[in-house]
Amino acid sequence: ENGNHSSNSAAMTTSPAKSLRYPFKVAASAGDYVVGKVNCGVDTSIDYSKKAVTGVTSNKYVTMVTKTITAFENDVVTKTKPYTAKAKPYIQPVVPYIEKAKPYAPSLAAGIAILAAIPFVFTLFVLAMITSPVWGFFALITSFIWVPLAICATIVFSFIFAIVASVGTIRYFTRPTGRAMLLKNWKKMSSTAMGQKIFYQ
């Protein structure tokens, strides 16, 4: 993908008759460098992860456990097969109705889950209101412990989320679909009269 990064940078730093102003040229070069390093790091991590998974799955103990589980599953299937065959005439007539109901199953399950969650959440809310003097008192006297922890946890998780979001954005916009969208918007923006004045010398 490094060739693609260079082509992106070249596409953004050149124009038929003009070149980018110095700040934008530096920004394009820095972006190209960061993108290359991020993609290299992510690809290396993925390769090491694949090798680690391959090493674990090829371990003789893991292989032995897998074979044992597979043998147990086959044994269960073999033993239950006669009973399954006997039950088939009773199950078979219901199968068409199950197949017809499949498209509606996710919506139905979501509806049931929401309906079941309403009384559950309401019960928790009532219990929280009733017991608020107790847990409110303990929350107050222990606030010097959990408030700093909550602030630290918020900062840490925000930092992790920012890194993950940044890496995900870089990975998306360096792939063909994202790169095409990025270059299309760049050409549209930089080809206007205002864009020519802002970006190019």
Side-chain angles (χ1 to χ4, degrees), residues 29-68:
S29 300
D32 191 55
Y33 175 80
V34 171
V35 166
K37 290 295 182 182
V38 168
N39 279 321
C40 180
V42 172
D43 291 337
T44 303
S45 300
I46 291 172
D47 288 340
Y48 278 120
S49 300
K50 287 179 179 178
K51 288 178 182 177
V53 170
T54 303
V56 170
T57 53
S58 61
N59 183 278
K60 63 178 182 179
Y61 297 107
V62 175
T63 305
M64 182 176 66
V65 171
T66 304
K67 286 181 179 178
T68 304

Side-chain angles (χ1 to χ4, degrees), residues 18 21 24 190 192-201:
K18 300 179 181 180
R21 294 183 185 276
F24 299 109
S190 62
T192 61
M194 183 64 71
Q196 291 286 317
K197 289 180 181 178
I198 292 174
F199 298 114
Y200 294 106
Q201 295 178 356

Side-chain angles (χ1 to χ4, degrees), residues 124-185:
L124 288 179
F125 177 75
V126 171
L127 288 173
M129 290 295 293
I130 294 171
T131 59
S132 60
V134 178
W135 59 260
F137 173 73
F138 283 106
L140 181 63
I141 63 174
T142 58
S143 59
F144 69 95
I145 297 174
W146 63 264
V147 169
L149 288 176
I151 293 172
C152 291
T154 302
I155 293 171
V156 170
F157 283 114
S158 299
F159 181 69
I160 293 171
F161 175 78
I163 290 176
V164 172
S166 301
V167 171
T169 302
I170 289 172
R171 294 290 286 180
Y172 174 76
F173 283 110
T174 51
R175 288 177 179 172
T177 305
R179 186 166 59 251
M181 184 190 303
L182 185 65
L183 292 177
K184 180 182 177 182
N185 289 323

Side-chain angles (χ1 to χ4, degrees), residues 3-24:
N4 293 329
H5 309 329
S6 301
S7 64
N8 289 348
S9 182
M12 292 184 179
T13 54
T14 58
S15 177
K18 300 179 181 180
S19 62
L20 282 175
R21 294 183 185 276
Y22 182 74
F24 299 109

